[in-house]
Amino acid sequence: MTKATNRSAPGAVLPTPAQLERLGGHLHKLRLQKSAERLEALLQHAAAEDLPYADFLERVLGEEVAAKTAKNVSMRTAMARFPFVKPLETFDFAYQPSIDKRQVLALASCHYIEHGDNVIVLGPPGVGKTHLAVSLGIKAIEAGYRVLFTSAAQLIATLTKALAEGRLDEKLKLYTTPRLLIIDEIGYLPIERIGANLFFQLISRRYERGPMILTSNQSFGAWGEVFGDRVIATAILDRLLHHAVTLNIRGNSYRLKEKLKSGLVRSFDEQTQPGGEI
């Protein structure tokens, strides 16, 4: 008796037009759209390569999963409201040697999200803080997390308006629901006392429950001036830094890259030498 093997080719005999129509109908009913679109091509490849049944099924399901995953990532990326989409692979670490690339790549694994840690990126304008924040946000989306991006100014404006309209709790939920919240550009514009209080409420709600990525062009010591109240700033930092990773970028602006090459402006290193000006 001949022992059965897994080498029987599913596509050795191609299906009839009627079978193709029935198979396509089944796939559409199961909402396997990618497989339905590529059914004939998949069967032809299976026949040509003499694929075993299991290998053929794995290929079909693998393509379907990949298509659905890509669609979900695209949808969640749009919902995150990023100002642009730049993957981490496009970040020029060579131009910003002050950044520990290994540390950033470790953050890209998203373990900090599970641990509830915040990531705070500090540095002067133009050094890639927002790029890093967006890139880490994209990695989080690819890992299956829901992400929301906002600038500090937009956040404060939204919460202030909601307070005036009696919808503050509703808007606070908007910013506390996403697994990862990214707040960009803290310190670029001064925050009035009411805005500082609203910001503190949000930080308190997310404290030890929802990790955040924040970027700022101001050192922590200057946050008292940013928020117009040292007591509130201290309370905010106390919660943010309890579980946090800080990336401090000390480098040149990407927007000045060409001017630096031409010698029209001095590099950050030259400016910080004894006698240099910042």
Side-chain angles (χ1 to χ4, degrees):
M1 175 182 255
T2 304
K3 185 178 180 181
T5 68
N6 195 34
R7 293 302 304 171
S8 301
V13 178
L14 291 173
T16 64
Q19 284 179 311
L20 272 176
E21 186 175 352
R22 288 196 299 272
L23 287 169
H26 294 328
L27 292 171
H28 279 298
K29 286 181 180 179
L30 292 171
R31 298 183 180 180
L32 302 177
Q33 304 302 332
K34 186 66 175 179
S35 300
E37 292 171 6
R38 287 184 32 81
L39 176 60
E40 194 166 356
L42 288 167
L43 289 168
Q44 288 175 349
H45 291 158
E49 299 174 21
D50 193 28
L51 285 181
Y53 290 112
D55 289 358
F56 173 69
L57 183 60
E58 182 179 9
R59 177 176 294 183
V60 172
L61 295 180
E63 285 198 10
E64 192 66 42
V65 169
K68 288 186 179 296
T69 299
K71 183 178 180 180
N72 288 336
V73 167
S74 178
M75 180 179 65
R76 289 197 299 267
T77 300
M79 292 174 62
R81 303 178 186 175
F82 293 128
F84 51 77
V85 176
K86 291 183 179 180
L88 187 59
E89 291 73 18
T90 64
F91 189 86
D92 188 355
F93 286 96
Y95 191 71
Q96 301 295 7
S98 64
I99 300 177
D100 186 341
K101 183 177 180 180
R102 289 176 298 179
Q103 184 181 29
V104 174
L105 294 179
L107 291 171
S109 70
C110 298
H111 291 315
Y112 71 96
I113 296 177
E114 285 304 310
H115 297 157
D117 295 339
N118 300 314
V119 177
I120 305 175
V121 188
L122 304 178
V127 295
K129 300 186 300 298
T130 304
H131 186 165
L132 274 181
V134 168
S135 296
L136 291 174
I138 292 172
K139 290 294 185 183
I141 287 174
E142 291 173 350
Y145 297 106
R146 182 180 171 189
V147 177
L148 180 63
F149 179 101
T150 181
S151 68
Q154 182 60 55
L155 169 69
I156 297 299
T158 299
L159 293 180
T160 302
K161 181 181 178 184
L163 177 64
E165 296 173 347
R167 298 186 298 112
L168 179 60
D169 193 62
E170 173 190 332
K171 287 301 178 182
L172 284 171
K173 286 180 180 177
L174 171 69
Y175 293 112
T176 54
T177 300
R179 189 72 174 93
L180 176 66
L181 177 66
I182 301 175
I183 305 177
D184 194 32
E185 298 183 336
I186 296 172
Y188 282 79
L189 294 174
I191 299 173
E192 295 182 357
R193 191 180 191 84
I194 188 169
N197 277 294
L198 292 170
F199 191 88
F200 173 74
Q201 287 188 52
L202 174 61
I203 298 302
S204 296
R205 286 203 179 197
R206 292 192 65 93
Y207 177 57
E208 293 192 326
R209 287 182 291 180
M212 293 174 284
I213 297 177
L214 304 97
T215 76
S216 177
N217 67 331
Q218 301 289 339
S219 66
F220 294 137
W223 280 33
E225 295 179 12
V226 170
F227 288 96
D229 188 310
R230 292 193 177 278
V231 175
I232 292 178
T234 300
I236 290 171
L237 285 170
D238 180 62
R239 286 158 177 76
L240 288 178
L241 297 178
H242 185 200
H243 304 287
V245 175
T246 301
L247 302 177
N248 202 332
I249 309 176
R250 296 176 58 82
N252 299 307
S253 169
Y254 284 99
R255 291 185 282 273
L256 298 178
K257 198 170 185 179
E258 295 305 316
K259 291 184 178 180
L260 285 167
K261 287 182 179 179
S262 64
L264 292 175
V265 297
R266 289 183 299 165
S267 70
F268 180 86
D269 289 337
E270 291 175 331
Q271 293 174 7
T272 53
Q273 294 299 317
E277 298 177 0
I278 298 179

